[in-house]
Amino acid sequence: MDFSDLFITLKQGTEAGPYATLASAQSAGAVTISYGLFINAVISFLIVAFAVFLLIRGINRLKREEETPAAAPSEKECPYCFSNISIRATRCSHCTSELEAA
C-alpha cells in the first residue's frame, strides 16, 4: 500500500478547498503535515531491519565455533588442609604435608 497521499492541511493555500492529493495541496501553496510519508518510511525501515536480522541470524548459524578442549588443570586440592596448590607441588605450602607424586 502507498500511504504517501495521506496528509493534514494546517493552512489553506491560494486555492481553498479540500485537496485530493498531496501534490495538489503543495502546488496550491497549502501548509501540510505529510504523515503518510512517515508511515511509508517506518514500514520500509521495518522490512529492511527484519531482512537484515534474518541475514545476520543465518550467518551466525553458519559460523558455529569449534569446541575447544578443556585446559589441563593447573591446581589441585591438598587432601589434608583442602587448600589449592600447584599441580606440580610435592609439599603443601599451607600445612607442609608431603603429597603423592601425580
Side-chain angles (χ1 to χ4, degrees), residues 50-82:
F50 184 68
V52 170
F53 168 75
L54 291 177
L55 179 70
I56 290 174
R57 193 172 88 181
I59 290 173
N60 284 340
R61 282 187 181 172
L62 292 176
K63 289 178 58 178
R64 298 275 182 200
E65 291 189 25
E66 297 176 7
E67 292 184 24
T68 56
S74 62
E75 291 184 338
K76 63 181 175 181
E77 190 175 80
C78 174
Y80 302 106
C81 68
F82 302 106

